[in-house]
Amino acid sequence: MRGVARRRLATLACLGLLLILALLAGAGSAVPRAGVSTAPPMGTPSAVTIRVSMAVDNVYRFSSREKTFSVEGTLRLSAPAEVMGRWLAAGVDPLTLVRFQNLVEPWDSLLEASSGPLRLGADLGRDYRFNGNFYSDEIDYRGYPFGTLPLQIRLVPDPSFPATIAKPPRIRLEADSAASGVSRRSNMNGYRLRSWRLFPSRGGVEMELLYDPIGWAALVKWLLPLTITMVVMLLTPNLRAGFSSERLAIPPVILLTLVFMQQAYRDSLPSLPYLTVMDGLYAFSYLVTLVFFCEFIWCANRLDRLASDGGGPQRPRLERRIERLELGLQLASLAGYGVLLLWALGQR
């Protein structure tokens, strides 16, 4: 009996040892060994870089009120030849993988292929003709109409692969500035192109056009009428104080003229939470006109009271005092306009 028990114990010990060895072998095969790469999980999309270049032929129909502008140009999309070839064979147009982020009314814009596949070194590309209306939210009107005008065209990934592509890749856009450009016809009415650049931005690619206003055009359109109106106002005190009725008739006319001119100016801009340079000039012009109007009323009352009291001999003395006061107001007004012009230069 003791021999049978010993054999059973030996058998159980051997079975337990084999079981432990099997478990250790299974655990060792589950842990990857150093220097041995593991296969990536199935279904993880790879990234594909699409190079973007843009040639702007014309910029027109800029609306300062709507912050919109129209652009006509050529867009080129290129990718590695192997990847692009598979897409084209599967009926995937690279244009369906991107979209203009700030395009307004896309149903009323043109976006069509203008060439077949182009061999570009190791890449395969295609050209597209586009013409549309874009919105620029980076415009700051603080220096308007003399500040810099930035216009943007933003292109972002928007992959829309058909069911024939089992594992759609992630799309990454890369700016190709060397193959991009801007035509001389991109100058708009009243603006001249200063510079342009194509750069990566917000997960996509952005073309930025910087415009400077043509000085004389902005001066004649907006600043010259205001200047002439206020010159008339500042010259009014040069009338002798005895012409009280004529002096009092001019400030109300100037005020009405300022109101109509500012209304025409504001109609060209959207609603803004801040003051522009022209708003500052108009506000100061209102103040100057009101101060002179009040001063004219005071002078007329003093002269009339002096005449009623029979103080004729004191009239020349009072008129000289009025002239000195009005000269000080004229100089203070000119100094105020000088400060405003320095502030306007700082807003450029």
Side-chain angles (χ1 to χ4, degrees):
M1 294 295 292
R2 290 182 179 178
V4 175
R6 289 176 180 175
R7 285 195 297 272
R8 289 180 179 177
L9 289 174
T11 302
L12 291 174
C14 291
L15 291 175
L17 181 61
L18 290 175
L19 181 60
I20 292 173
L21 292 176
L23 291 175
L24 291 176
S29 62
V31 178
R33 291 173 294 173
V36 179
S37 60
T38 58
M42 299 299 292
T44 302
S46 58
V48 174
T49 300
I50 296 181
R51 293 177 62 85
V52 177
S53 62
M54 200 176 302
V56 175
D57 296 333
N58 194 12
V59 181
Y60 58 99
R61 210 166 58 188
F62 169 69
S63 172
S64 57
R65 182 175 181 83
E66 303 295 336
K67 291 187 176 183
T68 58
F69 59 98
S70 295
V71 179
E72 178 183 359
T74 303
L75 174 68
R76 172 171 290 181
L77 303 176
S78 60
E82 180 182 357
V83 177
M84 182 71 78
R86 289 202 305 267
W87 289 348
L88 295 176
V92 178
D93 193 330
L95 187 62
T96 62
L97 308 181
V98 298
R99 66 180 177 89
F100 286 108
Q101 191 177 34
N102 60 329
L103 182 64
V104 181
E105 299 177 352
W107 59 86
D108 196 26
S109 60
L110 173 67
L111 193 57
E112 61 182 10
S114 59
S115 73
L118 303 173
R119 189 71 184 188
L120 307 170
D123 293 346
L124 199 63
R126 199 172 188 183
D127 289 343
Y128 302 90
R129 193 72 184 168
F130 70 92
N131 189 346
N133 202 28
F134 295 85
Y135 174 79
S136 180
D137 57 354
E138 302 295 331
I139 298 178
D140 190 342
Y141 286 116
R142 284 182 173 85
Y144 184 84
F146 306 105
T148 302
L149 180 67
L151 303 180
Q152 293 87 19
I153 306 173
R154 286 190 291 271
L155 196 72
V156 294
D158 187 21
S160 179
F161 287 96
T164 54
I165 305 297
K167 299 176 182 178
R170 291 182 293 106
I171 302 299
R172 187 177 71 88
L173 301 184
E174 179 180 319
D176 187 4
S177 299
S180 303
V182 178
S183 171
R184 293 182 178 179
R185 293 193 304 164
S186 60
N187 290 329
M188 300 182 297
N189 291 334
Y191 290 91
R192 182 184 295 108
L193 181 67
R194 180 211 291 180
S195 62
W196 66 271
R197 59 175 180 149
L198 185 71
F199 61 98
S201 173
R202 305 177 188 179
V205 169
E206 181 173 320
M207 166 75 84
E208 182 182 57
L209 307 172
L210 289 180
Y211 285 89
D212 283 333
I214 300 176
W216 283 109
L219 178 66
V220 171
K221 184 176 181 180
W222 299 118
L223 200 57
L224 186 60
L226 176 62
T227 302
I228 294 175
T229 303
M230 292 313 299
V231 165
V232 172
M233 182 66 251
L234 292 177
L235 289 177
T236 302
N238 292 339
L239 289 172
R240 292 180 55 186
F243 296 96
S244 298
S245 59
E246 289 81 359
R247 283 155 55 104
L248 287 172
I250 293 177
V253 176
I254 297 296
L255 284 174
L256 289 176
T257 305
L258 291 175
V259 169
F260 286 122
M261 287 194 305
Q262 187 182 23
Q263 186 62 41
Y265 161 73
R266 292 297 300 183
D267 285 343
S268 67
L269 297 179
S271 298
L272 301 174
Y274 50 82
L275 292 179
T276 67
V277 169
M278 291 297 296
D279 288 333
L281 291 174
Y282 276 110
F284 187 71
S285 299
Y286 288 132
L287 178 62
V288 169
T289 305
L290 182 61
V291 168
F292 274 110
F293 188 47
C294 294
E295 194 268 342
F296 292 164
I297 294 175
W298 176 81
C299 293
N301 289 334
R302 288 295 304 270
L303 291 173
D304 184 69
R305 188 179 300 113
L306 186 64
S308 300
D309 295 341
Q314 299 181 3
R315 184 182 179 92
R317 181 181 177 184
L318 178 59
E319 289 181 350
R320 287 194 299 271
R321 181 183 174 187
I322 291 173
E323 289 176 358
R324 289 194 298 268
L325 173 63
E326 291 176 346
L327 178 60
L329 291 176
Q330 288 173 314
L331 294 177
S333 300
L334 292 176
Y337 281 113
V339 172
L340 284 175
L341 290 178
L342 292 177
W343 171 65
L345 292 176
Q347 297 297 316
R348 289 178 60 86

